[in-house]
Amino acid sequence: PVKKSESHGTHVAGIIAAERNNGKGANGVANNVEIMSIRAVPNGDEYDKDIALAIRYAVDNGASVINGSFGKSFSPHAEWVRDAIKYASDNDVIFVHAAGNSSENVDVEPNFPDDNVNYVEVSNTYIRVGSLAPKYGSKMVSGFSNYGKQNVDVFAPGSEIYSTTPQNEYDSKGGTSMAAPGVAGIVALVRSQYPNLTAAQVKQVILDSGLPLNTKVVVGGDASNIAPFSDLSKSGKIANAFNALIMASKIK
């Protein structure tokens, strides 16, 4: 039986794929989606070997998008995981990664798994996601969220997210772990509706179609650190499912 304490993956899966419009719990982002559940991370630090093998397993068994709601600041064999991310990219699979919850600039303080060596990227299908709080305006970036003009791609809601937990229950959780599946769900929507688009095209759609904002925001939960929201990620945008589907429909 599933332990109640082991709820993280169930919560993440529900954000992507909880049954929509059944009057229960919450609606997942995507409707036409199947979840391949791969348990690669225990409670605590993940092994690079396990993550690399899990990514390759997903690619080899037909995944079109991988959600990575895990990460760490030290990775002894980062190249194993980076090679697996490149393998996903080479096989037309998108890898969506949570930016991390250390309130840090990941252009300066590394967060793994990463897709680049000294900013030279090995993958054009890796999307790293920062977290938003449900407060529009100066406090809209989650205080815990990592950020980075070069190494975070886009932001999505990640604080106080209501989703599924084991044993037919629901709970609110916060973290970039909750923001990443919001984006993975949009990827699933776009890839399901427009299967002829490549993974690289879908990544570009997600980044280009988001909602751009120049609002000045508190960064890293530090009230003395104020920056334009547009400086916190590569796109400077909030992921937007509606806009992504419209933009995808116009790509030949």
Side-chain angles (χ1 to χ4, degrees):
V2 178
K3 285 195 198 135
K4 278 193 159 180
S5 61
E6 307 290 317
S7 60
H8 183 268
T10 307
H11 199 268
V12 168
I15 292 168
I16 298 168
E19 183 71 29
R20 293 178 60 80
N21 304 320
N22 63 353
K24 292 180 183 171
N27 284 351
V29 173
N31 52 352
N32 186 25
V33 63
E34 286 182 311
I35 293 288
M36 181 195 302
S37 178
I38 303 173
R39 187 160 167 82
V41 186
N43 263 348
D45 194 9
E46 70 265 16
Y47 287 104
D48 293 324
K49 169 182 70 73
D50 294 338
I51 297 301
L53 290 173
I55 291 169
R56 288 173 179 274
Y57 180 93
V59 172
D60 289 345
N61 286 279
S64 56
V65 52
I66 298 168
N67 184 81
S69 283
F70 48 75
K72 54 190 183 175
S73 54
F74 178 70
S75 180
H77 293 287
E79 70 281 0
W80 295 351
V81 185
R82 200 180 301 118
D83 285 349
I85 288 172
K86 182 176 190 312
Y87 182 71
S89 182
D90 291 344
N91 285 278
D92 200 51
V93 178
I94 288 180
F95 183 86
V96 182
H97 182 229
N101 306 328
S102 320
S103 311
E104 290 176 333
N105 180 348
V106 292
D107 295 347
V108 181
E109 300 290 338
N111 181 268
F112 299 95
D114 210 337
D115 72 328
N116 69 80
V117 184
N118 299 324
Y119 303 118
V120 178
E121 294 190 352
V122 302
S123 162
N124 56 6
T125 68
Y126 168 100
I127 306 173
R128 187 183 271 168
V129 187
S131 172
L132 297 167
K135 303 180 179 86
Y136 189 76
S138 63
K139 294 186 176 171
M140 63 191 230
V141 172
S142 305
F144 54 74
S145 183
N146 288 347
Y147 53 93
K149 184 69 178 160
Q150 287 174 289
N151 277 323
V152 173
D153 291 299
V154 70
F155 276 73
S159 290
E160 300 173 44
I161 303 296
Y162 191 71
S163 182
T164 47
T165 53
Q167 301 184 12
N168 295 318
E169 294 180 3
Y170 301 90
D171 197 9
S172 291
K173 294 182 188 286
T176 54
S177 279
M178 283 68 241
V183 172
I186 300 174
V187 172
L189 280 175
V190 173
R191 299 211 80 179
S192 168
Q193 187 72 23
Y194 302 103
N196 294 334
L197 297 186
T198 66
Q201 284 176 312
V202 174
K203 171 184 174 170
Q204 209 52 51
V205 162
I206 301 287
L207 269 57
D208 291 347
S209 67
L211 190 67
L213 288 169
N214 280 317
T215 312
K216 289 204 162 126
V217 296
V218 175
V219 180
D222 174 3
S224 65
N225 185 0
I226 307 286
F229 177 71
S230 54
D231 287 355
L232 303 186
S233 68
K234 191 175 284 183
S235 68
K237 294 175 180 177
I238 295 172
N240 187 289
F242 185 72
N243 290 353
L245 287 164
I246 291 172
M247 187 174 283
S249 73
K250 295 177 178 170
I251 296 175
K252 295 294 180 279

